[in-house]
């Protein structure tokens, strides 16, 4: 999961396994959350989002879980593939007050071994 | 598809130079953002703009300024580049209303020597 410091958390999995990436967010007033994927040399790309009135949302091979009580977000990737290897960021936003500004976690490196 | 285009992928500048990083988006988004990305620190917001000629400081505005003369274009300016501004710079844009993600450019890797 996410942590303070200069060393990114890492997760190594075998191809075909399920991956779970965790994120602790900071602002209890945040009401919108996004997961981004960043491949080497590219900008972050949107994966999935969730609003605070939900606790689970599913996409294609990905599921985001939100626990507002403990301010925790997770991204589950089913049947992880080598192409999923990247840095994953969670981002939070307080829509009512912040003009769409996103606050990012430090990221988690996912490595998928064939 | 939304496109956010940053003018340069790689830049090398000398200490003390004035540096311009340019970003253009084609989706008529009201919001535009400049982030800086450093290893282990995630993305940190430098400045953002929610309208033409409007700007707001982010979390780390010191040493930077911005310009937004047209809705589609947002420029980041380093008035006098320093070595501690060596970093990856990412531009993003989004709608101002609703629950919607920000779309990112490919990034500019700036090295100040």
């Amino acid at each position: 999961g996410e942590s303070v410091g200069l060393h990114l958390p890492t997760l190594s999995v075998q191809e075909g396994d399920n991956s779970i990436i965790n994120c602790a967010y900071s602002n209890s007033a945040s009401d919108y959350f996004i997961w981004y994927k960043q491949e080497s040399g590219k900008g972050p790309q949107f994966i999935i989002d969730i609003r605070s009135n939900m606790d689970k949302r599913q996409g294609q091979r990905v599921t985001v879980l939100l626990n507002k009580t403990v301010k925790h977000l997770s991204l589950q990737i089913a049947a992880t593939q080598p192409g999923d290897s990247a840095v994953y960021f969670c981002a939070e936003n307080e829509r009512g007050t912040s003009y769409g500004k996103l606050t990012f976690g430090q990221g988690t490196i996912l490595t998928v071994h064939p | 598809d939304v496109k956010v285009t940053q003018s340069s992928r790689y830049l090398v500048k000398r200490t003390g130079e004035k540096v311009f990083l340019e970003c253009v988006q084609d989706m008529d988004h009201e919001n535009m953002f400049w982030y800086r990305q450093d290893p282990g620190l995630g993305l940190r917001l430098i400045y953002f703009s929610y309208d033409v000629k409007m700007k707001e400081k982010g979390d780390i505005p010191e040493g930077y300024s911005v310009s937004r003369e047209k809705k589609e274009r947002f420029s980041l300016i380093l008035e006098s580049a320093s070595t501690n501004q060596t970093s990856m710079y990412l531009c993003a844009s989004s709608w101002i209303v609703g629950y919607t993600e920000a779309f990112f450019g490919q990034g500019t890797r700036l090295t100040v020597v």
Side-chain angles (χ1 to χ4, degrees):
Chain A
E2 308 271 357
S3 63
V4 176
L6 295 179
H7 300 288
L8 283 184
T10 59
L11 176 64
S12 287
V13 300
Q14 291 296 126
E15 183 177 1
D17 286 352
N18 296 332
S19 302
I20 300 175
I21 300 171
N22 296 302
C23 175
Y25 65 92
S26 55
N27 182 1
S28 56
S30 291
D31 58 357
Y32 181 56
F33 305 87
I34 303 174
W35 280 99
Y36 281 93
K37 172 187 180 183
Q38 187 177 26
E39 297 174 281
S40 181
K42 297 184 179 180
Q45 293 179 287
F46 170 88
I47 302 173
I48 192 167
D49 59 0
I50 189 167
R51 293 174 57 174
S52 59
N53 60 354
M54 305 170 71
D55 53 20
K56 181 179 180 179
R57 191 164 188 223
Q58 289 184 286
Q60 189 176 15
R61 283 203 306 121
V62 294
T63 300
V64 56
L65 299 177
L66 174 62
N67 185 330
K68 295 181 288 294
T69 303
V70 295
K71 292 190 288 186
H72 184 269
L73 197 65
S74 69
L75 177 70
Q76 301 177 0
I77 305 174
T80 317
Q81 302 167 1
D84 295 327
S85 294
V87 181
Y88 289 80
F89 293 96
C90 64
E92 60 181 295
N93 175 236
E94 187 181 345
R95 289 302 298 180
T97 61
S98 60
Y99 295 105
K101 281 191 301 179
L102 293 170
T103 300
F104 284 82
Q106 67 172 132
T108 296
I109 300 172
L110 174 64
T111 303
V112 182
H113 301 282
Chain B
D1 277 355
V2 173
K3 199 153 191 181
V4 179
T5 303
Q6 295 181 230
S7 54
S8 304
R9 290 296 303 273
Y10 302 96
L11 277 179
V12 180
K13 297 292 182 181
R14 294 194 180 278
T15 301
E17 277 193 75
K18 191 169 185 175
V19 182
F20 293 86
L21 303 183
E22 306 285 347
C23 175
V24 176
Q25 51 96 3
D26 66 358
M27 276 298 291
D28 204 34
H29 286 159
E30 295 88 358
N31 288 337
M32 295 191 75
F33 308 88
W34 276 106
Y35 287 88
R36 170 176 173 160
Q37 184 175 22
D38 299 290
L41 296 177
L43 281 71
R44 293 179 292 166
L45 183 64
I46 305 172
Y47 267 97
F48 74 101
S49 168
Y50 53 89
D51 200 355
V52 174
K53 297 192 186 295
M54 305 302 290
K55 60 185 179 184
E56 294 282 341
K57 292 181 180 180
D59 300 317
I60 52 164
E62 295 78 18
Y64 303 94
S65 62
V66 290
S67 173
R68 191 159 181 209
E69 296 296 319
K70 293 184 178 182
K71 190 175 185 180
E72 67 270 18
R73 187 178 296 270
F74 193 34
S75 302
L76 180 69
I77 303 155
L78 287 66
E79 296 289 341
S80 178
S82 64
T83 55
N84 63 11
Q85 292 178 309
T86 291
S87 187
M88 171 71 87
Y89 290 89
L90 289 160
C91 175
S93 70
S94 74
W95 299 113
I96 199 168
V97 294
Y99 293 82
T100 178
E101 74 270 29
F103 296 85
F104 282 84
Q106 79 278 21
T108 297
R109 184 163 294 282
L110 172 67
T111 302
V112 182
V113 298

